[in-house]
Amino acid sequence: MARRFTTASTAPLVLDSTEPDVLEAGLQWLGGRAILNSANLEDGEAPGSRMDKAFTLAREYGAAVDLPAHRRGRPCADVEWSCVSPHRLHDIATQRYGLRAGRPHLRRPDVPALHR
């Protein structure tokens, strides 16, 4: 799909998959014009986790990362809880992976996307 849209769109495209191989295949076509909608803490933050792979791919390919609202991927029960996971992911992304908060074209209004 990414190959088909790489020349059809000038806007960044969102890659949404829990499989790092799928994300990387899309990133190979989109380069620095992608937003990953796949970083979460569902299986932890250790090396080899999905979060680790998503942030590593974002750094390698210059992609932005859209942070989720809840670490289990479900709707949040309250505003306070909805900020726990995104803020933790933000800290990990900026401190461990060297990604920085920014203002890409598309993002959730309450949580900054991360990009290189």
Side-chain angles (χ1 to χ4, degrees), residues 17-114:
S17 176
T18 58
E19 299 302 321
D21 293 341
V22 173
L23 294 175
E24 186 166 21
L27 287 168
Q28 289 173 351
W29 286 100
L30 300 175
R33 294 188 316 116
I35 299 171
L36 302 182
N37 187 30
S38 304
N40 62 59
L41 294 168
E42 288 178 2
D43 65 342
E45 60 186 71
S49 67
R50 287 185 182 143
M51 181 227 56
D52 172 63
K53 292 176 183 175
F55 285 160
T56 299
L57 288 170
R59 185 178 60 221
E60 289 175 8
Y61 288 92
V65 179
D66 186 35
L67 300 178
H70 189 280
R71 73 173 144 190
R72 294 184 189 105
R74 296 183 209 127
C76 302
D78 58 55
V79 174
E80 183 179 339
W81 178 246
S82 71
C83 293
V84 172
S85 180
H87 286 288
R88 177 74 183 129
L89 284 165
H90 177 273
D91 291 345
I92 293 168
T94 56
Q95 296 167 14
R96 194 181 305 167
Y97 294 87
L99 301 176
R100 62 181 172 80
R103 294 183 174 263
H105 299 286
L106 303 172
R107 69 176 181 89
R108 287 179 32 143
D110 58 330
V111 179
L114 299 168

